[in-house]
């Protein structure tokens, strides 16, 4: 087998493994490492994903899959579907390779930040993404599409308007669609929070497409969980506070200490542990996100709370 064929086959194996039960964080880390090894690996992976989507569409025409979208070993695929997939991803040839291999890195890419990290990404269409701590995004930007996947964490978007070309952010079961605006999206498991600074965005629930979409404008916040969407309208102060992280700050308005500590823990390796005796104390003010020690000292000075540090753990109690 040629080197190109081996890479294509490896990409297909990775794709099959990812969609089977038991996929772990270690498996994902191994896949990420393989993708970082070379542009050829990333191009093969993109072709494999595209081919899988094509095969999904072919599968939907028949009933042999009994409604299952993933989880099939290659030896179980019907010949017609396997042939369709192999043709779509171009295994054994270079027919689709130029589309990906010669494409700028920024157009098909993955970006992430560590604990306390902050990164600004300039996209090929002129838009920008600002990543907050512990965040992962994937991008697909070219002349025909502008798709972003927020896999975890939080990001602020400044979208360059392009006639007839929406900018789409996928966050879990939610899709946020805009034409040109400034907004942020935060994903915490199945909870997605959208804050709009300028313009207007549409928030759709991909699992309930028959329901009306939520339209929010500047100063609005949409919080979604499960099948529910709550909109806090015209609260510029709330939006401003939610985006204080862009300046390295955290702003709270009489929030319980337990929730404040959880927010600080997103940005620091030193973790705050709040005893139930102090958990309900309301905290207000603006604090430096990376200076957890100074925050702990303020708690001692202002409330007389007991602060005990053990390595990277700080316990707070009344």
């Amino acid at each position: 087998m040629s080197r190109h064929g081996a890479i294509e086959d490896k990409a297909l194996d990775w794709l099959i493994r990812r969609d089977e039960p038991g996929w772990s964080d270690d498996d994902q880390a191994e896949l990420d490492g393989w993708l970082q090894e070379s542009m050829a690996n990333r191009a093969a992976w993109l072709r494999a994903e595209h081919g899988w989507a094509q095969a999904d569409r072919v599968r939907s025409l028949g009933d042999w899959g009994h409604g299952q979208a993933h989880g099939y070993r290659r030896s179980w695929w019907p010949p017609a579907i396997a042939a369709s997939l192999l043709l779509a991803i171009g295994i054994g040839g270079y027919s689709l390779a130029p589309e990906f291999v010669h494409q700028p890195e920024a157009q098909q890419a993955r970006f992430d930040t560590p604990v306390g990290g902050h990164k600004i990404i300039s996209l090929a269409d002129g838009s920008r993404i600002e990543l907050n701590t512990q965040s992962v995004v994937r991008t697909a930007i070219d002349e025909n599409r502008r798709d972003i996947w927020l896999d975890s964490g939080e990001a602020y978007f400044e979208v360059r308007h392009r006639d007839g070309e929406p900018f789409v952010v996928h966050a879990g079961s939610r899709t946020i669609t805009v034409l040109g605006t400034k907004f942020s999206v935060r994903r915490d498991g199945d909870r997605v929070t959208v804050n709009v600074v300028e313009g207007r965005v549409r928030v759709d629930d991909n699992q309930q497409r028959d329901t009306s979409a939520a339209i929010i404008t500047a100063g609005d916040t949409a919080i979604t969980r499960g099948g529910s969407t709550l909109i806090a309208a015209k609260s510029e102060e709330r939006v401003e506070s939610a985006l204080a992280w862009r300046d390295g700050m955290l702003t709270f308005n009489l929030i319980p200490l337990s929730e404040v500590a959880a927010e600080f823990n997103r940005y620091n390796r030193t973790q705050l542990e709040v005893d139930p005796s102090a958990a309900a104390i309301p905290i207000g003010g603006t604090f430096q996100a990376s200076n957890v020690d100074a925050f702990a000292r303020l708690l001692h000075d202002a409330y007389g709370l007991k602060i005990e540090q053990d390595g990277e753990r700080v316990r707070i109690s009344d």
Side-chain angles (χ1 to χ4, degrees):
M1 179 183 295
S2 68
R3 178 177 178 274
H4 173 77
I7 291 174
E8 298 284 358
D9 200 46
K10 182 68 173 177
L12 185 56
D13 285 339
W14 274 119
L15 190 64
I16 295 169
R17 284 179 56 191
R18 188 194 66 178
D19 290 328
E20 289 183 338
W23 180 260
S24 67
D25 291 341
D26 289 341
D27 293 327
Q28 184 63 49
E30 189 178 353
L31 170 58
D32 292 341
W34 182 79
L35 291 173
Q36 292 299 320
E37 287 177 4
S38 69
M39 186 61 192
N41 289 359
R42 293 192 288 276
W45 173 255
L46 292 169
R47 285 193 292 273
E49 285 195 309
H50 175 74
W52 183 261
Q54 294 294 104
D56 272 346
R57 284 193 285 271
V58 175
R59 266 204 302 272
S60 68
L61 298 177
D63 60 0
W64 62 270
H66 304 292
Q68 297 180 9
H70 302 293
Y72 297 94
R73 295 303 305 176
R74 193 182 327 182
S75 59
W76 300 351
W77 296 350
I81 303 303
S84 172
L85 179 57
L86 294 174
L87 177 62
I89 65 178
I91 289 181
Y94 288 84
S95 58
L96 294 180
E99 178 182 349
F100 296 94
V101 173
H102 299 298
Q103 196 171 42
E105 177 81 10
Q107 292 187 343
Q108 301 278 352
R110 177 184 184 275
F111 304 92
D112 60 65
T113 53
V115 173
H118 182 253
K119 180 181 293 185
I120 296 178
I121 304 158
S122 296
L123 302 178
D125 70 332
S127 300
R128 298 200 323 161
I129 303 175
E130 193 169 345
L131 286 186
N132 198 3
T133 177
Q134 300 186 80
S135 301
V136 178
V137 296
R138 291 173 290 127
T139 68
I141 306 291
D142 58 27
E143 65 276 8
N144 298 315
R145 62 183 296 198
R146 299 194 292 174
D147 284 285
I148 308 295
W149 290 266
L150 179 62
D151 293 331
S152 62
E154 184 172 15
Y156 174 77
F157 300 87
E158 293 186 0
V159 179
R160 177 71 60 85
H161 179 79
R162 204 160 72 179
D163 289 340
E165 290 291 340
F167 187 98
V168 182
V169 179
H170 308 272
S173 65
R174 263 31 183 221
T175 300
I176 300 95
T177 305
V178 304
L179 288 175
T181 187
K182 297 179 181 179
F183 66 104
S184 71
V185 182
R186 175 171 170 176
R187 182 178 175 187
D188 299 290
D190 67 344
R191 171 175 167 161
V192 175
T193 304
V194 182
N195 292 289
V196 180
V197 178
E198 292 181 6
R200 183 176 67 168
V201 308
R202 188 182 75 224
V203 181
D204 292 291
D205 185 345
N206 297 331
Q207 297 177 350
Q208 301 185 43
R209 292 186 177 275
D210 56 337
T211 61
S212 300
I215 306 295
I216 58 177
T217 58
D220 293 349
T221 296
I223 303 173
T224 73
R225 187 192 294 273
S228 302
T229 299
L230 170 68
I231 298 177
K234 300 306 176 188
S235 180
E236 287 81 1
E237 184 178 349
R238 179 199 299 268
V239 172
E240 183 178 347
S241 296
L243 294 175
W245 61 265
R246 299 182 61 219
D247 296 318
M249 308 300 289
L250 296 175
T251 298
F252 307 104
N253 183 17
L254 301 181
I255 302 298
L257 177 56
S258 58
E259 296 181 24
V260 171
E263 191 67 11
F264 264 99
N265 289 345
R266 295 178 61 217
Y267 295 83
N268 299 277
R269 295 196 179 280
T270 298
Q271 298 285 284
L272 297 175
E273 295 181 350
V274 181
D275 186 82
S277 62
I281 294 175
I283 302 297
T286 299
F287 310 91
Q288 187 175 357
S290 61
N291 199 339
V292 67
D293 293 332
F295 176 68
R297 288 195 300 271
L298 285 173
L299 291 177
H300 172 73
D301 295 342
Y303 298 98
L305 298 180
K306 185 177 180 180
I307 308 298
E308 300 174 288
Q309 183 158 1
D310 181 12
E312 293 186 338
R313 296 283 174 181
V314 177
R315 181 169 177 79
I316 303 169
S317 58
D318 197 350

